[in-house]
Amino acid sequence: MTKHLTEDQVAHFKQHGYVYPMRAIDAEQAAEYRRIIEQYEASSGEDVNRTLKIKGHLALPAIVELGRHPAILDAVEDLIGPDIMLFGASIFAKNGRDPRYVSWHQDSTYFGLTPHEEVTVWVALTPANSVNGVLRVLPGSHSGPDLKHVETYAADNMLAKGQTLVDIDENLAVEMPLQPGEFSMHHERTAHSSLPNRSDDRRIGFAFFYVPAHVKSTTGRRRATLVRGVDRFNHWDPDTLPEYDCDPRSMSELAATWGKYKDGEVKQAADMAAPQ
Ligand SMILES: O=C(O)CCC(=O)C(=O)O
């Protein structure tokens, strides 16, 4: 018996590595989350794409709450079971007429997790469609291995290292259009990307990264938050969750984790395995 997904959606995810659309919140609530993020941007003066990354939920209690939303956790439980850790979250906010894009990549190559059972939930806070740079996936790519990425550091690439899979057949790409408040899910090995925003308004999504509690970090002990069930494994230290917006204790954890990631300490799995 599933909790949020249909049996067909579970089967679709297992076969193709993605599923959409599911609903978490209504359009008004999505607009309220957008307002909270835009207020944070205005008060911090920062591009959220440069700050609310990897552990972006640690900046704002409202984002932790979204990552704990029962409809989302029910769908995650349908895929990975009842004991669920949230180990990260990243915003992807494209402005109107924004040339920035996300190149084809697999999250698994950089997440440093074993076994490969992570599921990403991408929550739309605005519409996401063909015009404004919707998230696209390559069906079935999750059943292959971690692939070597070329790190381009391209200026308009929204990924920290501009990491890119080469020789992708664009004709095989499937778009996952969403209305505000809906979400999609993809497996950490599913190759995904998005194009620039050709519309006048912003396209904003928050991606939440979930693992079953038995999944371990391959890069030493790290932090995560048990969001449902029981942690019988103790593979993760607890995140420092924000008690209020921009709580300095959680902000420093966010900054340290994102810093390690973007400044090159986090390597792709292929490089870590290679002789030094
Ligand atoms: O939102 C996008 O355009 C890309 C999202 C992404 O790369 C992710 O959710 O892992």
Side-chain angles (χ1 to χ4, degrees), residues 24-179:
I25 52 180
D26 64 29
E28 289 73 33
Q29 290 169 314
E32 176 59 14
Y33 277 108
R34 175 178 179 167
R35 192 195 61 73
I36 290 168
I37 286 162
E38 292 184 339
Q39 187 180 44
Y40 168 84
E41 279 177 319
S43 60
S44 68
E46 287 162 345
D47 176 356
V48 283
N49 296 297
R50 297 191 185 282
T51 53
L52 300 187
K53 287 291 193 193
I54 304 299
K55 283 203 181 275
H57 58 304
L58 297 189
L60 302 167
I63 303 301
V64 178
E65 186 189 302
L66 184 57
R68 290 184 187 272
H69 194 288
I72 292 177
L73 295 183
D74 283 350
V76 174
E77 181 171 342
D78 288 338
L79 298 181
I80 65 173
D83 300 324
I84 304 173
M85 315 288 304
L86 171 66
F87 88 97
S90 286
I91 198 167
F92 291 89
K94 295 177 189 165
N95 297 327
R97 305 282 157 194
D98 195 334
R100 291 177 296 179
Y101 61 93
V102 172
S103 52
W104 285 107
H105 68 286
Q106 291 170 306
D107 293 329
S108 55
T109 302
Y110 291 84
F111 273 170
L113 299 169
T114 187
H116 287 291
E117 294 177 20
E118 186 274 350
V119 166
T120 295
V121 168
W122 195 99
V123 185
L125 303 184
T126 64
N129 53 47
S130 302
V131 180
N132 67 9
V134 65
L135 185 58
R136 310 179 303 165
V137 288
L138 211 57
S141 47
H142 68 304
S143 31
D146 284 357
L147 299 169
K148 176 82 181 160
H149 291 58
V150 178
E151 295 182 349
T152 67
Y153 293 89
D156 281 340
N157 195 324
M158 297 180 86
L159 300 178
K161 301 160 199 259
Q163 58 263 38
T164 303
L165 290 167
V166 289
D167 296 333
I168 296 291
D169 182 352
E170 291 275 331
N171 295 318
L172 300 178
V174 169
E175 296 186 339
M176 298 197 288
L178 297 172
Q179 293 301 320

